[in-house]
Amino acid sequence: MLIFAALVVSFGATAQPLPSDEYEGQSCTSIMVGRRASTDGSVITSHTCDGRYRTWMHIEPAADYGTGATVPVYKGTAHTGYYGDTTGLKLAGTIPQVAHTYAYLNTAYPCLNEKQLAMGETTFSGPDVLKNPNGMFLIEELQRIALQRCDNARDAIRLIGSLIKQYGYGDAGECITIADKNEVWQMEILGEGPDKIGGVWAAQRIPDDHVGVSANIPRIGKMQRQNKDYFMASDNVEKVARKYKLWDGKGDFVFWKAFNSSYANDKNFREREYFILNMLAPSLGLTMDMDELPFSVRPDANVDVRKVIELFRSTYEGTELDMCQNLKIVNRRNERGNIYNDTIISPIANPWLGGYMQRTYNMLQPGAVEFRRTIAVAWCSYSHIIQLRNWLPDQVGGICWMSVDNPGESPRIPIFCGTTHLPQQFDVCGQKAYNEGSVLWKYRKANKLATVAWQRTKKIMLDEVLNYENKAFKGLPELERDVVMYERDEANEQIASILNAYTTSVYDETCYAWLQLEHRFWHMFGMGF
């Protein structure tokens, strides 16, 4: 099928998902890798925070508290405008504070603490009948409290389960992918119904030699309460499912079937789960036509953290899921300027077409574009891939490879467990307004320009992404040696100083590079796109 690409392109159209209930819930992706499935023994979890969430982030220090101290629990923390902003926050209640809390990276969905405990998140919504807005905890506050108080995944799961039982869960169905330096778990949580303060949950461990994925669909299958090394769950799961007629009580209880949402189309996967698992384990012969995909798979080859970073850039290019495959033009000029007959993807075709552009193309040629929810999306606020390494001191063993805006275009900035300070641009959210003082807009301008004529700019952009990724990884061995040396001497201030400097250096270099890309693209397209 050929379609002559439209010449008028809107910036806004490339930045938003389709405005349709059909695509509700397609908001986050998390990939998990067990330590024996990774190339170097790292445990990996990850998260794309897709949607208009806050992009400011801050290192919250460890703290000590006296007897009788309490901690407030809020709703609305994922949408504030800057560090310290209380606009729109609602106090949901208070709980007793512990004597000591760990330092952690405060993102919209808090993700990493100083003890190499890390979390990713994806929303799967689940049956509306289970929601209870009167529950104290939203998922982001559960993540925060667990990161402040726990140093391993199993304790985090138990703590979250106890908080839900005592104070109530007030969010839609959520999955958090919880990892420490030895193992990674997938925990899926829902409310207990509008008349009950509590919640239901199950958690399943990704086998050490497996990889897993969560992408807005519950994935935990049969209950395995007897397998305590690989499975945990609240004691009310089946009871709640029967009460709300989500399970008839016959046969095996399958968590994802009972608590699924309409987006899943009665399966435990869609494009993202299939693509990721198939890319990592093609020998299994997985297909989109299957009724169910495995909870996790053993990859055909061990997975490097950079492979996960690469997957986060994925738009299915060159596969049957590629949204650009029908957007073609003919009569291309060759290198000498001569016209010859050829068929190529249109220079302005991009995999992040918004609803208006998709409908325009499909008006010109019905069926030209079939929407596919890609892993990298233009409406991403930030994303991270976190690797945890048990053979290194915690300060440098845990690395959060962070990016803001579209993960298919933006570079990765390393933030370590021992990082104590981020550049000041990280204190301001870029979603409320255009703000050059925000980290988001340091990258978003070049990214959006590149998207308008993506087939012309993608190699330029990817070359820069990989160039700075290579630089960031190349400097790690020396950095790690320095931290190990200082750690033997208990020189914590020196460790923090060199880690802060490394993070800032990568940030400064990529900021400057993306400014140069912006200038280059304005010059390239000065006469039009």
Side-chain angles (χ1 to χ4, degrees):
M1 181 189 301
L2 300 181
I3 176 171
F4 287 90
L7 297 179
V8 179
V9 180
S10 163
F11 278 97
T14 64
Q16 298 296 330
L18 285 177
S20 167
D21 291 341
E22 182 181 353
Y23 306 108
E24 181 181 356
Q26 302 190 44
S27 54
C28 300
T29 307
S30 179
I31 299 171
M32 297 151 282
V33 182
R35 60 184 175 85
R36 289 171 52 204
S38 66
T39 55
D40 63 354
S42 294
V43 178
I44 299 171
T45 189
S46 54
H47 176 211
T48 64
C49 186
D50 301 327
R52 197 175 289 275
Y53 293 89
R54 67 166 167 93
T55 57
W56 69 260
M57 52 195 77
H58 187 80
I59 306 295
E60 300 290 349
D64 295 308
Y65 299 90
T67 303
T70 60
V71 56
V73 175
Y74 292 103
K75 294 181 178 180
T77 61
H79 298 280
T80 50
Y82 52 87
Y83 177 66
D85 182 22
T86 59
T87 305
L89 290 188
K90 178 183 177 182
L91 180 64
T94 61
I95 64 173
Q97 183 58 283
V98 293
H100 179 78
T101 57
Y102 298 125
Y104 72 98
L105 177 54
N106 181 1
T107 46
Y109 293 89
C111 62
L112 177 67
N113 76 7
E114 63 177 290
K115 296 295 184 179
Q116 295 202 66
L117 178 66
M119 298 185 185
E121 177 273 345
T122 76
T123 302
F124 63 84
S125 296
D128 289 340
V129 70
L130 296 181
K131 294 180 181 178
N132 183 352
N134 294 319
M136 181 184 293
F137 278 98
L138 300 184
I139 198 68
E140 56 266 31
E141 286 287 81
L142 287 170
Q143 291 179 238
R144 174 177 69 90
I145 297 297
L147 288 169
Q148 287 181 311
R149 300 184 180 191
C150 300
D151 62 6
N152 67 85
R154 297 188 192 208
D155 282 351
I157 292 167
R158 295 185 188 102
L159 174 61
I160 289 169
S162 67
L163 292 173
I164 288 169
K165 184 174 183 178
Q166 183 172 358
Y167 299 102
Y169 180 70
D171 218 335
E174 289 274 2
C175 170
I176 42 179
T177 59
I178 309 175
D180 58 36
K181 50 195 173 185
N182 295 306
E183 58 189 26
V184 58
W185 291 70
Q186 185 161 327
M187 183 179 189
E188 297 175 349
I189 309 168
L190 304 100
E192 197 171 341
D195 61 345
K196 182 72 173 178
I197 294 297
V200 296
W201 60 271
Q204 187 167 339
R205 178 181 167 191
I206 305 294
D208 291 343
D209 59 348
H210 276 216
V211 297
V213 58
S214 176
N216 309 130
I217 294 173
R219 303 263 301 135
I220 293 175
K222 295 179 183 178
M223 302 294 279
Q224 303 174 46
R225 296 182 189 275
Q226 73 286 354
N227 191 352
K228 298 184 183 300
D229 195 40
Y230 278 87
F231 197 88
M232 290 185 268
S234 58
D235 57 12
N236 61 346
V237 175
E238 296 91 341
K239 178 181 177 181
V240 171
R242 291 199 66 175
K243 176 180 178 179
Y244 290 98
K245 297 180 171 46
L246 302 171
W247 178 52
D248 62 9
K250 300 176 182 178
D252 293 324
F253 180 86
V254 179
F255 194 93
W256 71 260
K257 287 185 178 180
F259 300 124
N260 220 337
S261 57
S262 58
Y263 164 65
N265 294 334
D266 297 321
K267 294 186 177 185
N268 71 341
F269 74 99
R270 282 190 58 165
E271 299 97 333
R272 284 171 287 164
E273 297 90 344
Y274 159 72
F275 180 83
I276 291 165
L277 296 180
N278 186 58
M279 284 291 291
L280 297 178
S283 64
L284 294 179
L286 305 176
T287 71
M288 285 288 290
D289 295 327
M290 290 179 165
D291 293 329
E292 180 178 358
L293 290 186
F295 172 72
S296 62
V297 302
R298 181 182 290 110
D300 289 358
N302 280 20
V303 180
D304 182 82
V305 67
R306 296 187 67 175
K307 181 62 178 180
V308 182
I309 292 173
E310 177 189 330
L311 286 170
F312 267 40
R313 292 193 291 264
S314 178
T315 60
Y316 316 138
E317 182 177 357
T319 75
E320 72 277 9
L321 302 175
D322 189 347
M323 286 196 293
C324 296
Q325 61 186 305
N326 297 323
L327 302 181
K328 298 180 179 179
I329 61 173
V330 295
N331 291 338
R332 176 190 179 192
R333 292 184 183 272
N334 63 19
E335 293 179 356
R336 297 181 179 179
N338 300 321
I339 295 177
Y340 66 101
N341 289 330
D342 192 12
T343 300
I344 63 168
I345 300 295
S346 167
I348 63 171
N350 78 76
W352 304 297
L353 295 168
Y356 295 129
M357 286 304 298
Q358 290 179 49
R359 289 193 287 273
T360 299
Y361 285 131
N362 286 331
M363 182 70 180
L364 294 171
Q365 176 64 63
V369 179
E370 181 179 357
F371 177 76
R372 300 290 189 181
R373 204 300 189 176
T374 52
I375 299 168
V377 293
W379 61 91
C380 181
S381 294
Y382 67 88
S383 65
H384 60 71
I385 296 92
I386 300 177
Q387 62 176 144
L388 309 163
R389 302 174 294 174
N390 63 13
W391 64 93
L392 287 168
D394 288 339
Q395 297 99 313
V396 75
I399 310 177
C400 175
W401 293 98
M402 179 67 71
S403 80
V404 293
D405 201 54
N406 189 337
E409 299 174 307
S410 292
R412 295 277 161 192
I413 302 163
I415 303 172
F416 303 89
C417 284
T419 300
T420 60
H421 177 74
L422 298 174
Q424 64 178 7
Q425 292 83 359
F426 282 82
D427 279 347
V428 182
C429 176
Q431 301 287 27
K432 304 291 185 178
Y434 175 78
N435 186 339
E436 291 196 3
S438 162
V439 61
L440 180 67
W441 287 98
K442 298 298 182 183
Y443 304 99
R444 174 168 278 179
K445 291 183 288 182
N447 290 352
K448 295 304 182 229
L449 279 173
T451 302
V452 177
W454 181 240
Q455 302 303 317
R456 293 180 63 190
T457 63
K458 66 181 177 181
K459 184 180 185 306
I460 297 171
M461 191 133 239
L462 185 58
D463 284 348
E464 287 293 271
V465 168
L466 294 178
N467 176 41
Y468 287 96
E469 188 176 298
N470 289 336
K471 287 185 177 181
F473 275 90
K474 186 177 181 180
L476 288 181
E478 181 179 354
L479 180 75
E480 290 158 7
R481 286 193 297 269
D482 289 344
V483 171
V484 169
M485 179 185 67
Y486 283 122
E487 199 258 348
R488 285 198 299 262
D489 297 333
E490 298 184 354
N492 292 326
E493 289 187 8
Q494 288 87 339
I495 291 174
S497 178
I498 63 173
L499 293 176
N500 292 344
Y502 199 87
T503 297
T504 299
S505 174
V506 176
Y507 167 72
D508 286 344
E509 288 188 9
T510 55
C511 274
Y512 181 76
W514 259 245
L515 178 62
Q516 299 311 303
L517 281 175
E518 179 192 349
H519 295 167
R520 180 176 180 179
F521 293 150
W522 277 126
H523 180 261
M524 181 186 296
F525 302 124
M527 301 299 290
F529 296 98

